[in-house]
Amino acid sequence: MRLVIKRLVFFVSLFLVWELAVRLFQIPAVLLPAPTDVFRALGEMIADGTLFRDLGASFMRLLVGLAIALLIGLLLGILLAKSKTADETLGSLILALQSIPSIVWLPLAIMWFGLNEKSVIFIIVLGAAIVMTINVRTGIQNVSPIYLKAAQTMGASGPDLFFRVMLPASVPYFVTGTRLAWAFGWRALMAGELLSTGPGLGYTLKYASDFGRMDMVLGIMIVIGIIGVTVDLLLFQRFEQQVRVKWGLEPSS
Amino acid sequence: MMFLKIDGIQKSFGKDGRREQVLKDISVDVREGEFISLLGPSGCGKSTLLNIVAGLNRPDSGILQLDGRDIVKPGKERGMVFQQAALFPWLTVEENVMFPLKGMPKKEAKEVAKKYLRLVQLSQYAGHHPHELSGGMQQRVSIARALAMDPAVLLMDEPFGALDEQTRMRLQGVLEEIWIETKKTIIFVTHSIQEAVRLSDRIIVMGTHPGRVLQDIEVTLGRPREGHLKEMAAYEESILEMLKTENDKVEEEERNHAVGH
C-alpha cells in the first residue's frame, strides 16, 4: 500500500511542477503544453470517440500481427532447435536480422504491400517473430536432461517424447518469448503507423503533430505509455512469474 | 537362467584425449525379487552401472540381459528413480503417475495411479502440483510413478541422497514396506553403508579407479529391519573395516606411483 502512495505523490508532484513551470516561464504550447491542456485534449478525444476508434484499429493490427508472429516463431524455433544445420545457417541469419530494427523494412514493405495495413502488420510480424523464434529455440534446447532421461525410462521416445515432455517443459520460454514479442510488436506498431496510414494511435499522433497540436501528441504518448506498462507489468510479467514458480524455476514466495 | 544377468561389463569415458576406465569387468547376477544395493564411494561407477542397466548408457563390452533378453535401450520393464524426483511440473501428481500408462484407458490408468499413490501414502495429494510438495513427498510420487508401469526391476539411483536425515530414515521405512508388499526386484545405488544394510538382501561393495566389484555380501537379517539394530551395526562395521583396508591399499598405490615417476 505504501508503494501506491509513494507513486501517487510522485506523479501528482511531477504534474504540478510541469504545470507550474509552463505557467511561470510562459512556455508556448507548441513547445510544451501544460498537463491541464494535455488532459483536456485527451478528454476531447475520448468524448468524440477518436481515441477508442484509434485504439481499436491499432489493437486489431497488433493482434493479427502477433498471432502470425507467434505461429512463425514457434515453428521456426522448433526447426532451429531440432536441426543443427538449420541452426547454423538460418539461425545466424535470424540473429543478424535481430540487430536491424524492424521499422527500417517499411520502405520495402510499402513497395511490396502498398501504403496500407499490410505493411504495418509486416513490420510487427518481423519484429515479434524473431524474438519468439529465439526464445522457443533456447527453451527446447534447454530442457533439463533429467526430464528426458526420466521420460525415456518410462518408454517415451520420438514424437511422443517431443510433444509430451520437450514442448511442455519449454513453456516458460514460450511465455517470455510472447512477452517480448508483444513489447517489440507494440513499438513496431507505433513506428509503422506514424510513418504510414490510419486509422490508428500512431497515425493520429502524426496528424496532431501536423497541425501543431502538441497537447494531443502528449496525450497520445501518455496513452501509449499506460497501455504498454499495463500489459507488460500487470499481464505478462505476472503470468510469467506464475509459470516460472509452477515449473520450479523460481521458489514460491 | 539368471533373472538379470550383468556379465563382464566394461565402460570407459574419454576425458581430455585420454580414456578413463570407469567400470572394469563388472559381473553381478541378480535374482528375481531381490533387494540389491550397489555401495561405494563417489567415482566407483555405481551410477554409471545403473544407467547402463536402465539402457540410458551403453557399455563398451559385456553381456546385459533381463529374463534372457538383451538390454539395448530404455524400456518400461525397468523403472528408474533418480536422485532428483524429476516429476513433470506441468502435470498434477496424479497425471505424473499416469505418464507411463499411455495407451491404457484413462479410467483404468486413474485407478492404477490411485493404487500406487495410496502405496506411498499420498492419495490425498493427487490433484496437487509437484512444486506444492516437499522434497520427500516428491520422491515418493516419483517412486509411485516408476511402480505404476509395473516394471520387472526397479532401479534407484541414490533416491534419498538429496533429503534431510529424518526424511531419509522415514522413506527407508516406506520403501522397505513397499518392497515387502510388491516383492519387486530392486537395484539400489547408495554411498551410505547404513542405508545399504538397512534395506538390502545383498550388498555389492564397489571400489574406485577403476570401478570394480570388491565384495558381494548377503545380509541375512529379518524384516522389517528396524527390529535388528544390533545386527545391522555389526554388518556396518565389517563393511567399514573392509573399505578401510581398501582405502589404505589405494593410498599406498598412489604413493608408489608418485615415487616411480
Side-chain angles (χ1 to χ4, degrees):
Chain A
M1 219 43 220
R2 297 214 18 215
L3 184 70
V4 176
I5 294 170
K6 270 189 208 165
R7 283 198 180 142
L8 204 66
V9 170
F10 172 75
F11 281 106
V12 168
S13 10
L14 184 72
F15 284 123
L16 271 178
V17 170
W18 175 4
E19 182 80 37
L20 274 176
V22 169
R23 279 166 195 259
L24 218 64
F25 302 110
Q26 300 193 326
I27 301 171
V30 279
L31 286 185
L32 185 67
T36 40
D37 295 334
V38 171
F39 288 121
R40 193 178 309 120
L42 264 179
E44 277 169 32
M45 287 167 65
I46 292 172
D48 68 11
T50 22
L51 186 64
F52 295 108
R53 205 190 56 225
D54 287 343
L55 272 178
S58 289
F59 264 100
M60 205 53 217
R61 239 166 257 158
L62 184 62
L63 287 183
V64 172
L66 273 185
I68 299 173
L70 293 182
L71 188 68
I72 293 177
L74 191 63
L75 295 177
L76 270 183
I78 291 173
L79 175 71
L80 296 191
K82 288 268 121 192
S83 155
K84 196 157 181 275
T85 311
D87 197 27
E88 285 166 350
T89 53
L90 185 61
S92 61
L93 174 67
I94 287 174
L95 280 180
L97 283 179
Q98 195 198 14
S99 59
I100 305 175
S102 68
I103 189 63
V104 305
W105 285 86
L106 193 67
L108 272 179
I110 291 174
M111 295 308 288
W112 294 341
F113 303 107
L115 190 65
N116 57 32
E117 294 215 297
K118 282 186 203 141
S119 300
V120 180
I121 291 177
F122 178 76
I123 301 302
I124 297 170
V125 170
L126 253 184
I130 290 173
V131 277
M132 185 62 182
T133 304
I134 292 169
N135 272 279
V136 170
R137 168 185 162 275
T138 312
I140 295 176
Q141 282 181 342
N142 284 342
V143 173
S144 171
I146 188 81
Y147 290 154
L148 301 180
K149 276 200 209 172
Q152 280 173 308
T153 63
M154 291 184 285
S157 64
D160 192 39
L161 185 67
F162 182 73
F163 286 109
R164 290 176 75 209
V165 180
M166 296 180 84
L167 272 192
S170 331
V171 162
Y173 285 87
F174 299 169
V175 175
T176 305
T178 308
R179 177 169 68 79
L180 292 175
W182 143 266
F184 274 74
W186 181 239
R187 284 159 181 74
L189 171 73
M190 287 308 137
E193 284 182 350
L194 203 59
L195 293 174
S196 71
T197 176
L201 221 47
Y203 179 74
T204 305
L205 193 145
K206 190 180 74 169
Y207 183 82
S209 139
D210 289 345
F211 285 85
R213 289 285 308 270
M214 289 309 145
D215 49 347
M216 273 175 80
V217 169
L218 267 168
I220 295 171
M221 283 168 64
I222 290 173
V223 171
I224 293 175
I226 287 174
I227 292 175
V229 168
T230 311
V231 175
D232 193 48
L233 285 183
L234 296 186
L235 227 90
F236 277 115
Q237 288 202 18
R238 213 169 264 193
F239 182 59
E240 193 178 15
Q241 182 68 18
Q242 284 170 358
V243 168
R244 290 183 67 80
V245 168
K246 186 168 161 186
W247 258 245
L249 298 170
E250 254 163 63
S252 46
S253 51
Chain B
M1 185 175 61
M2 259 310 165
F3 180 64
L4 176 64
K5 188 182 177 71
I6 301 170
D7 192 12
I9 295 292
Q10 313 265 5
K11 178 78 185 174
S12 23
F13 286 120
K15 219 190 219 171
D16 317 321
R18 64 202 175 91
R19 304 289 289 175
E20 192 177 333
Q21 191 161 30
V22 188
L23 292 174
K24 188 189 176 193
D25 198 23
I26 306 283
S27 298
V28 181
D29 281 329
V30 181
R31 293 180 285 262
E32 189 164 9
E34 190 168 52
F35 196 125
I36 188 164
S37 280
L38 304 176
L39 173 69
S42 44
C44 74
K46 55 193 190 296
S47 286
T48 307
L49 180 60
L50 200 72
N51 275 306
I52 287 175
V53 176
L56 292 167
N57 264 340
R58 298 283 299 145
D60 297 336
S61 63
I63 297 170
L64 200 61
Q65 286 176 335
L66 179 64
D67 246 345
R69 272 195 301 275
D70 284 329
I71 293 173
V72 288
K73 60 181 177 86
K76 283 190 184 182
E77 70 287 352
R78 281 158 288 131
M80 181 120 166
V81 175
F82 300 87
Q83 184 167 3
Q84 299 127 286
L87 300 177
F88 301 130
W90 55 91
L91 302 176
T92 63
V93 164
E94 185 184 47
E95 286 163 348
N96 263 289
V97 180
M98 284 162 66
F99 184 91
L101 304 177
K102 198 192 170 217
M104 190 186 276
K106 196 155 184 194
K107 212 174 141 201
E108 206 177 313
K110 262 189 177 202
E111 282 304 312
V112 174
K114 206 185 262 173
K115 172 179 158 196
Y116 285 100
L117 280 175
R118 208 177 301 128
L119 189 68
V120 296
Q121 301 151 19
L122 283 177
S123 12
Q124 67 274 40
Y125 289 93
H128 284 60
H129 275 92
H131 77 276
E132 297 165 313
L133 307 186
S134 70
M137 288 156 88
Q138 289 186 12
Q139 200 54 284
R140 271 145 72 194
V141 175
S142 146
I143 293 172
R145 181 174 70 170
L147 286 173
M149 56 188 185
D150 197 22
V153 191
L154 185 60
L155 310 170
M156 307 186 85
D157 190 2
E158 301 197 41
F160 309 144
L163 304 175
D164 61 83
E165 190 65 21
Q166 258 177 307
T167 312
R168 192 186 169 109
M169 304 274 245
R170 224 163 51 79
L171 286 203
Q172 287 169 2
V174 172
L175 181 62
E176 191 181 32
E177 273 169 37
I178 290 175
W179 180 77
I180 291 170
E181 202 173 316
T182 62
K183 279 289 160 204
K184 282 273 173 237
T185 311
I186 296 181
I187 306 183
F188 189 99
V189 163
T190 179
H191 58 250
S192 155
I193 300 175
Q194 177 272 334
E195 191 165 71
V197 174
R198 166 87 171 76
L199 291 168
S200 323
D201 298 323
R202 241 171 100 201
I203 301 173
I204 309 291
V205 185
M206 294 178 68
T208 55
H209 302 299
R212 64 204 187 283
V213 174
L214 294 179
Q215 210 164 350
D216 187 339
I217 304 168
E218 301 263 354
V219 183
T220 51
L221 294 177
R223 291 192 188 262
R225 290 275 158 84
E226 266 171 334
H228 303 75
L229 289 180
K230 235 186 223 155
E231 296 96 318
M232 272 162 56
Y235 270 105
E236 284 170 37
E237 207 160 311
S238 75
I239 293 172
L240 199 59
E241 194 58 40
M242 195 199 69
L243 283 176
K244 213 184 259 168
T245 353
E246 167 70 12
N247 259 345
D248 293 345
K249 213 166 64 192
V250 170
E251 268 172 33
E252 199 183 309
E253 269 171 28
E254 277 171 1
R255 256 201 308 279
N256 290 342
H257 192 67
V259 169
H261 271 264

